Amino acid sequence: MINVVVADDELPAVEELAFLLDGDARVGQIHRATSGAAALKALEEFDVDALFLDIHMPSLSGLDIARVISRFSRPPAVVFVTADEAQALEAFELAAVDYVLKPIRPERLAESVRRVCELLQDGPAEPEVVTVDQGGITKMIRRDEIRYVQAQGDYARLHTADASYLIRVPLNDLEQQWGPAGYLRIHRGYLVAMCRVEKVRMAPGKAAVVIGDVELPVSRRALPLLREQLAANRIRPL
């Protein structure tokens, strides 16, 4: 069973969420908080496995709390429960387990509890580390930091947020090796981490993906597969 903190600046919302969680046999103790400060205080006083947080709370928002606990050696899982769809990208960048939209449906909340339980049982996955040589120095970088890969002949250039690294591996090989990890070939010259794609721009006869301040072209051949990936990730009612 998991012990949780429910935090929302509106008491009826706290009580509703606590009531729904109380009906789940996988949930143990439920601690209520009507502010971000109260949620952090609960973490100090109780053994907590997960936080169910509203995003917009005065003074200390749900996102603020997630940033604070990300520095913990063993942070509790975070589920955002909010009416605001616009913050999903930032929430998942803070390693949120789930993002549930209000009004809350019991079956959707049950899925969040399942994800929390699964995380606690299996533990967070260790990121794969990639070895690269740069200026006579061998560096180790996490693969999940690589936003996209650019073909350069028989070489490939790995792009992170703040650097790039040239490796002697063809893009075709990386496409085969990294495809199962969420990297998609969008063009003969580019392989992208789909979790890093912020926007997809469609126009008559062409398309592009946006990653940070970089816009990368999508070939006509790759466009159907990209559409398929987007459709698979689209949130639908149960």
Side-chain angles (χ1 to χ4, degrees):
M1 298 180 73
I2 61 172
N3 299 326
V4 306
V5 170
V6 173
D8 195 304
D9 62 314
E10 296 182 3
L11 183 57
V14 171
E15 294 299 337
E16 178 191 8
L17 183 51
F19 174 79
L20 293 173
L21 287 170
D22 192 43
D24 193 312
R26 296 166 296 183
V27 178
Q29 293 183 331
I30 302 172
H31 306 288
R32 295 161 172 80
T34 53
S35 69
L40 290 179
K41 189 172 185 296
L43 291 182
E44 295 176 358
E45 296 179 353
F46 306 107
D47 182 19
V48 175
D49 299 303
L51 290 163
F52 287 77
L53 301 173
D54 184 30
I55 282 186
H56 299 294
M57 293 186 287
S59 300
L60 199 63
S61 72
L63 294 173
D64 292 332
I65 295 172
R67 292 187 190 99
V68 170
I69 68 172
S70 68
R71 298 192 288 268
F72 291 7
S73 57
R74 296 183 62 185
V78 173
V79 174
F80 287 106
V81 183
T82 177
D84 186 357
E85 298 183 57
Q87 302 293 324
L89 178 62
E90 186 173 0
F92 286 118
E93 286 177 347
L94 291 169
V97 174
D98 206 355
Y99 194 91
V100 180
L101 290 175
K102 297 177 181 178
I104 306 166
R105 289 179 292 117
E107 62 273 18
R108 182 64 184 85
L109 188 62
E111 170 63 14
S112 295
V113 173
R114 184 196 68 76
R115 293 183 185 184
V116 170
C117 292
E118 188 176 82
L119 176 68
L120 295 175
Q121 180 179 350
D122 299 338
E126 290 293 327
E128 182 170 325
V129 175
V130 179
T131 303
V132 296
D133 296 316
Q134 188 179 49
I137 299 174
T138 299
K139 294 188 64 176
M140 309 290 283
I141 61 172
R142 290 171 41 153
R143 183 173 64 183
D144 60 10
E145 293 179 354
I146 299 168
R147 306 193 302 173
Y148 67 96
V149 186
Q150 181 180 9
Q152 295 193 340
D154 291 334
Y155 292 75
R157 184 168 292 279
L158 313 178
H159 292 266
T160 66
D162 51 13
S164 68
Y165 308 92
L166 192 65
I167 60 172
R168 194 170 185 174
V169 179
L171 195 63
N172 287 342
D173 290 0
L174 289 180
E175 178 186 6
Q176 294 180 32
Q177 294 174 35
W178 292 4
Y183 285 79
L184 181 69
R185 186 77 172 265
I186 61 165
H187 188 276
R188 67 172 179 266
Y190 296 103
L191 181 71
V192 301
M194 285 300 294
C195 65
R196 298 287 186 172
V197 173
E198 299 171 14
K199 299 177 184 176
V200 178
R201 290 181 174 152
M202 301 284 189
K206 64 178 182 178
V209 300
V210 177
I211 301 176
D213 57 357
V214 178
E215 184 170 305
L216 304 174
V218 179
S219 69
R220 290 185 180 181
R221 182 177 179 181
L223 187 55
L225 186 56
L226 176 63
R227 290 183 186 274
E228 183 179 313
Q229 289 278 335
L230 295 174
N233 292 333
R234 185 165 286 116
I235 298 174
R236 296 182 175 87
L238 294 175

